[in-house]
Amino acid sequence: MTAFAAAPGGPESAFAGRPDVSPSTHAARAESAFAARPDVSPSAHAGRSDVPPTAHVTFHPIVDLDAGTVVAVAPSVPGPPVLDPDLDVDCAILAARSLSRRETLLPVLLVLRMGTLAYDRPMERLHRTLASLGRRPGGVILGVTGDTAGVSLDEAAARLGGIRSGGYLLAVEAGDLPTRFVADIAPTILMLTPEVTRRATADPRRSAIAEALVALGRRIGGHVLAPGVISDDQLTHLRGRGVRLAQGPLLASPQWLPGVPVNVPVGSRDVERDRLGPRVTEFMMPATVMPDTATAEEVLTVFNADPATSSVVLVDQAQRPRHMVDRTRFLLRLAGAYGHALHAHKPAARLADAPRPVPRTVPAIAALRAAGNDAERVYEDLVVIDEVGRCLGIARVGDLIRSLSALDH
């Protein structure tokens, strides 16, 4: 989870909301709109890549500490920070291509520097590459690190808003950014800095930063991600502050590959909840999305690649959910007599259910009631949608039940 579109699901274009490009000409002027801008990277020219094509890419699982499952993959090219916008995008493209060869449709987290957003041509190149790899915006999390040096807060907010308006999920390293700016852009993931993760256990001030971001995340519908977790003490402390997502050597070795299970140490949590109950976005995880034209064989490949994938959301060109493929029911249908022969090369929608969408603003208890409103079936995953009906992610009913039961106690 096309991001620079003037309308949801539209074709490649410059960032949404740009006043200098007519909305009706976005699709036809994608590249020319960028080329005419003076703010292109000094080293930008088509096809250039100073990143060796054989550079080693490592894969880091993003783990949901409550469910103990991998919910996204963050591929990266090891090395010092890259300041050049073109090279920054080159690294992201190399990471995305390497992950595409692993045949996983887990959401991918690609990290860029904030300053890279100011250069349109590299960003458009990244967008085109992701589209060519079959990565829909709802399955891509664009992470941004660093401060806004060289980019005004207004411009950074506008560009991040343009990315999100096209369906991409946002992750922001919140440590060096003004709190009001982070609240206004409302990212899906708020990333702690590695320094906060490292020192939170022994430094009350760093621990307070983690708690403050968790509280902010609950209000804006985002989760906090702790990168670089290396010890049980760090993990237990951060979980106690309400951090739900983590990544680091404690959870997976540097040799980890998509599809390999991870081990999450058991820890206690004592997180205060709002008396009115949490919103459903507190439990939202990135969805595995595919076009609504996908075949049953293609969906089967996704399920086989990752046993933790409980469902696949089939979306239309505007990222609106049209069908929900439940893993258990789907595999049972294919396992039946002549099931594979009858269904494999036909649309997966034939074996899917109608999705159960819930607005991102509803309380979790209301979402849980929605899951049980259908007398014919029980929903295991709910589709969380935004104000215009686009898929933002899924909320697992099991997570809602466990968390609300703990809240009652």
Side-chain angles (χ1 to χ4, degrees):
M1 67 212 210
T2 44
F4 312 129
E12 298 85 350
S13 70
F15 289 89
R18 288 233 333 248
D20 56 340
V21 180
S22 170
S24 62
T25 59
H26 274 259
R29 298 174 53 196
E31 296 189 29
S32 62
F34 290 106
R37 293 279 303 260
D39 55 347
V40 297
S41 165
S43 61
H45 42 308
R48 173 181 175 176
S49 176
D50 293 332
V51 179
T54 57
H56 179 63
V57 175
T58 57
F59 302 99
H60 310 282
I62 307 299
V63 179
D64 176 358
L65 298 178
D66 285 355
T69 58
V70 178
V71 295
V73 180
S76 66
V77 180
V82 177
L83 301 181
D84 180 82
D86 276 289
L87 296 185
D88 195 21
V89 167
D90 285 341
C91 289
I93 288 175
L94 177 61
R97 284 177 172 160
S98 296
L99 183 61
S100 70
R101 291 192 287 269
R102 296 291 170 180
E103 295 185 350
T104 177
L105 280 184
L106 277 173
V108 56
L109 171 62
L110 301 175
V111 179
L112 301 170
R113 291 182 58 80
M114 180 71 78
T116 299
L117 302 183
Y119 297 93
D120 290 331
R121 285 179 180 170
M123 292 299 297
E124 180 61 23
R125 184 158 53 89
L126 174 62
H127 164 62
R128 290 197 305 269
T129 301
L130 292 173
S132 70
L133 294 175
R135 279 283 175 181
R136 285 179 164 259
V140 178
I141 309 167
L142 286 183
V144 181
T145 65
D147 57 27
T148 58
V151 183
S152 70
L153 288 177
D154 288 343
E155 181 180 4
R159 289 177 177 273
L160 289 170
I163 291 172
R164 182 175 56 191
S165 70
Y168 286 94
L169 304 179
L170 290 180
V172 172
E173 189 177 77
D176 297 325
L177 298 173
T179 303
R180 182 175 179 180
F181 174 81
V182 176
D184 286 343
I185 63 175
T188 302
I189 296 177
L190 296 89
M191 299 185 293
L192 300 179
T193 63
E195 187 254 359
V196 169
T197 299
R198 185 176 64 253
R199 297 177 55 184
T201 304
D203 187 343
R205 294 169 295 183
R206 299 304 186 277
S207 181
I209 292 174
E211 286 188 271
L213 290 177
V214 168
L216 176 60
R218 291 197 190 114
R219 297 298 184 268
I220 64 176
H223 293 298
V224 173
L225 166 64
V229 177
I230 62 174
S231 70
D232 287 337
D233 288 344
Q234 285 181 347
L235 187 66
T236 300
H237 182 82
L238 290 168
R239 290 180 79 171
R241 308 284 78 75
V243 173
R244 177 156 183 194
L245 304 177
Q247 169 267 320
L250 177 67
L251 304 171
S253 71
Q255 290 75 40
W256 181 86
L257 294 174
V260 177
V262 297
N263 295 317
V264 180
V266 177
S268 61
R269 291 190 61 187
D270 182 17
V271 182
E272 293 184 3
R273 299 296 184 108
D274 191 337
R275 289 180 179 271
L276 297 177
R279 288 190 297 175
V280 68
T281 46
E282 186 170 331
F283 306 94
M284 186 177 72
M285 291 289 109
T288 300
V289 295
M290 297 183 72
D292 54 8
T293 56
T295 66
E297 182 74 28
E298 292 170 334
V299 172
L300 179 62
T301 300
V302 172
F303 283 138
N304 287 338
D306 184 13
T309 301
S310 58
S311 63
V312 171
V313 182
L314 304 180
V315 298
D316 61 18
Q317 289 294 323
Q319 302 299 311
R320 293 186 296 262
R322 294 306 184 195
H323 308 279
M324 167 76 82
V325 183
D326 177 81
R327 180 189 186 93
T328 302
R329 280 185 286 274
F330 177 81
L331 294 181
L332 285 174
R333 292 287 297 275
L334 285 189
Y338 307 106
H340 191 274
L342 288 172
H343 303 296
H345 301 294
K346 295 180 180 178
R350 298 170 66 251
L351 305 179
D353 300 295
R356 177 63 75 179
V358 292
R360 64 178 179 180
T361 55
V362 304
I365 186 65
L368 192 57
R369 292 193 186 104
N373 282 343
D374 193 331
E376 296 182 358
R377 58 155 295 182
V378 176
Y379 287 83
E380 296 181 6
D381 291 341
L382 304 175
V383 183
V384 183
I385 58 174
D386 64 10
E387 290 77 6
V388 295
R390 294 177 300 187
C391 175
L392 297 177
I394 61 170
R396 295 190 174 99
V397 172
D399 291 346
L400 298 179
I401 294 173
R402 283 191 297 271
S403 298
L404 293 176
S405 296
L407 183 64
D408 289 339
H409 292 315

